[in-house]
Structure formats: structure tokens, C-alpha cells
Amino acid sequence: MERAKLSLLFALHAVTVVCSVGLLVDVVVDRYDIPKYCPREVETEDFIRYHFNGSFYTDGKKFDSSHDRGKAFISQVGLGRLITGMDRGLQGMCVGERRRITIPPHLAYGSIGTGGVIPPDAVLVYDVLLLDVWNAEDKVDIRTISKPSSCNRTTASSDFIRYHYNGTLLSGEAFDSSHSRNATYDTYLGQGDIIKGMDEGLLGMCVGERRIVIVPPFLAYGETGSGTLVPPQATLVFDVLLVDVFNPKDDLIVEVKEVPDGCTRRSAVGDYIRYHYNGSFQDGTAFDSSYQRNSTYNTYIGLGYVIQGMDKALQGLCVGEKRRITIPPHLAYGETGVGELIPSSAVLVFDIHVIDFHNPKDPVQIKVIHKPEDCSLTSEADDLIQYRYNCSLMDGTLLYSSDHFDSPSFTTLGADKVIPGLEKGLSGMCVGERREVVVPPHWGHGENGAGGVPRSAVLFFQLELVELQKGVPEGFMFVWLGDGPDALFPAMDLNGDKEVPLEEFSAFIRLQVEEGKGRLRPGVDPDRIIRDMFNNQDQNKDGKVTEDELSPREDDKAEKTGRDEL
């Protein structure tokens, strides 16, 4: 305000107090409300923004008020743009301070007065509240409040950032907050998309860093202000927390945390992988975790079933490997995000642990760990075997073990009693042999899994063959190991009485087995097998077998051949 103008403003500095107002020779300043913290005091050539009420000393009558006008007064101090008393009285004032400035006539409008409003020789009293102070030489003021212990990257021009902020005027009055909208402010840096002061104040920040950024008016909204909340020539104070940063040119960042020894195979396009993960944003806020669901994430690699960045990151991994993968939004969910789970333009950080992977074309892998010197008799279809086993996931999690039972397990090969991959792994073994067998899910429990076996799990078996009983073909209870007697009935009729009761029949069969000429189906009670064989031959059910009954008729040869006959 010029000296000739009516509205005058405040200051704080040299003051002389005299008992009688009529004898005032200088400004009288009463600092009746001073803030506890005053980072800056008004100096000559500073610009200030303030509210005031102006009244006469003699009767207290108000002659002017910025409050009545509905906007604060703005001026520069110490250059004669205010009456001399106000230029002096505003010196040294703090933002938020209230003071009463009493000005004698010779430092106000003198013996002439002004505009019919201020009479000659009037002593003026101004109640002043300082709202803002800045200088044309001011720069953006950056004050770091907190910073993460590690910072691999800081913001730079052309980066895209996401941050939270609280915005206030220098007086502390709030004008905006991203927290109240529950959404970050997202923008490019250095592209003119935000006010110049923030473009500068956000440079060099780490994710997780908190700053106070103080922006002078000419680097903010200047003479126009912004809407109804940011007045003209307002200094702005931003309390900023950086949440995210990336550059449109960014690629994946892969940090290998742990690689198991003996990695002979790495994941490739077309493989099916099972892995655990924790997903978070760059500031550490978690958004998802497979561990919480107690279930791995299962997918094909490189076929577009997952976000582009993860499709790429899952290649070249070992079973058991742990990695941290940072994926920029253009390789993740982009500008759209995912509902309330993934914000727009979010950088995603995945800590992954590979449980297993396989290819749908993978065979069963068999590795012989130990083989006895004498290995002439090996397991095959129809054999009854006894074996020890440990069944684990590829990360070492034990699922089942024969050690949990009183004795090793039994099975008949070729009878579909075990999964196909285990059947293959148990075939061709000799007693005492030990193997490690990797069974992909299409040779195991498939996509559905089984009790205790996860879906699409690769299984790892440690096997040892304990006992081997050679078997007989499906549908038979006894087979000859070579040619039987040319005259079967006479050989069976031990006492030559032309009839063979059960006892004689049983003695004959057992003799063949003992001499290695024949074999009974293993794993079944021999007495029951022999009784069933006898009953099949005793066609008239008279308790004995004759030669006619032992020699089947032509019309039922096929039936008997397909059954458990001699």
C-alpha cells in the first residue's frame, strides 16, 4: 500500500514507549501473541501478507479492516510503500504473531490526514496478524524429516512418482491433503505438470522419505492463488511422503536372494511353476501373499497368464531359489491398477520362493543311488514288492514316509495300486537297490492333487526295494515256470487211485512251487488260492478231481485259459 493509501500494515522492531500518547515520538509495538516457534522474522524488502483492524487511538473507532474486505493485505516492507510507522512496526514480526502497533501522526498521515477518513494529527492503532512472509530472493526450502536406512534410487526429472502430502499455508491453515482422499498424488517430475516449487522440492527423494517443502508464492500459484483455498501470493508448505517412483524406461529389477546348490535346470517358457510370494509396494505396504492363503501360486511361464513383468521374471529360476523382483507399472497393471488392491501406476515388489516347476512333456526322472553287485532279478509288472520310501515336495517338505508305519509298504506292480510315476520308478529294481525319483504331476496326482499333496505338485521319492516276489499275470493264480508235466493227471494222482482230493491237489501244487517249477500269485493266502484252483477243477463238486475234469472240454478251453487254471 502506498503512503497515500488508506490500508496500512504491520511490523515489529524498534519501539519507544512514552507515558503520554501525545508525546509519542516513535511507533509503540505491543506483541501480545507470539508463536513459540519463529523460523523467520520480517525484514526490509520482504513481502508480507497479513490481516489487520485499524482504529483511532482516541475513541477506538474502526476506520479500516482487511477482515471486512474479505482478503488479506499484501505489501513489501521498508521501501516506503506503507506509512513510515507501519514500515517500522512490522519489522521483526513472525508468521502467526499478533501485535498492536500504535503510530503517532508524524509517522502516519501527519497534520493533514487523508481522504476524509483519517483526520489531522490522528494517532492510529493497528491490530495485525501476520499470515505470510517471503522475499524475491527466496528459494524452495527443503527440510528432510525422515529417510529410510537404504536408498537405491532417488527421484529425477522425467520420473513418475506417487506421494502423499498435507498442504498448508505458512500460517498453518490446511488447504489440501491426499490423505483425506485416501489416494496418492501421481505425476511426472520436471515436466511442468505441477507447480515449479514442487517440481524442484520433490527431486532427489527416496521412497519412504518424508520432507517438508516450503514453496514461495512466485514458485507456487503467485498472484492468482488457486480456487478459494489458496489465496494470492501464498507461501505453501507441503508435508510429503514419497510412496513410489519409476521411470517409463525402467525394466525389471531382479535381486537374487538365495540359490540352492546343485541347480541343474532352470525354468523356461512353457514350464508350469509353483511358487510362494509376498507382494508389496515400494514403501513396504503389503497388498497380497500366497503364504496367507497357505497355497502356492501356480501358472505357466511366458504364455501370458500373469502380468508381463512376472512372466519375464519367472524365467531362469532354480527350484528352491528366492528372488526379489521389482516390476514397474508398465510391466504390471499400468495406469488402471486393480480395483482397491493395486493403485494406478504402482510399482510392485514380489519376494518369491520357487517350490517346483515342470514341463508337461517331462518324463519321470530316475537316479540310481545304490545298486547291489548281484542284480540279476529285477521288478516288473505283476511282481509283489516291498519297499521303503520318503515322499517330499521339491522344497524338501516331507509328505509321507514308510518310516511312519511298522513295516515297509507292499504293492503289486502293474495293478494300478500306486501313481504311474512311482510305478515307473519301482520298475526294474533289484532287492537292495536305492533310487531318487522325480515325478512330475502328470505322472503323479495331477492338477487336483490328493490328500496332503498340493495341486500340480512335483514329487520327489527316495526308494529302496526291500523284497521281491515274482508275480503271475493278471487273472491267474498259478503259472508254470517252463513246461508242466506231459501227463499232468498221473503226476498229480500221487497214490494212483484215479482221483485227486483237495489234500493231494494241494500237496502237488506246493511241491511245484518248492521245486521252482511253478509260481502262486504273491500276496495272497496260498491255501485260499489252492482251494480256489481245486474248486475250479472239481466240476461236479464231489470233493475230488478226476482226469476228465482236469482235461477241459473244447468249448470251455478259452474260459479256463483266461482263469486261474493249470
Side-chain angles (χ1 to χ4, degrees), residues 151-216:
C151 180
N152 298 325
R153 173 180 186 170
T154 58
T155 55
S157 184
S158 80
D159 282 345
F160 190 88
I161 62 172
R162 298 172 50 240
Y163 62 95
H164 272 300
Y165 71 91
N166 288 316
T168 62
L169 305 179
L170 201 59
S171 60
E173 182 181 354
F175 65 84
D176 195 11
S177 173
S178 65
H179 297 282
S180 65
R181 295 189 296 273
N182 196 30
T184 56
Y185 191 87
D186 307 343
T187 187
Y188 283 97
L189 270 182
Q191 309 295 309
D193 295 333
I194 51 179
I195 58 175
K196 291 182 180 179
M198 282 298 275
D199 247 347
E200 180 181 338
L202 294 171
L203 290 173
M205 286 191 81
C206 305
V207 170
E209 182 177 345
R210 186 181 163 206
R211 284 182 177 179
I212 300 296
V213 181
I214 303 174
V215 182

Side-chain angles (χ1 to χ4, degrees), residues 9 58 105-106 140 243 272 279 300 309 325 399 411 496 510 537-538:
L9 313 178
T58 54
H106 65 280
V140 175
V243 174
Y272 191 85
Y300 284 97
I325 302 163
L399 299 178
T411 192
R510 290 179 183 277
Q537 300 298 325
D538 182 15

Side-chain angles (χ1 to χ4, degrees), residues 13-18 23-29 102 104:
H13 216 48
V15 173
T16 302
V17 181
V18 183
L23 300 178
L24 280 178
V25 295
D26 205 346
V27 174
V28 176
V29 175
T102 304

Side-chain angles (χ1 to χ4, degrees), residues 489 493 495-500 544-547:
F489 186 80
D493 183 12
N495 60 9
D497 62 356
K498 305 299 183 180
E499 56 186 24
V500 178
K544 54 185 178 294
V545 175
T546 63
E547 189 166 5

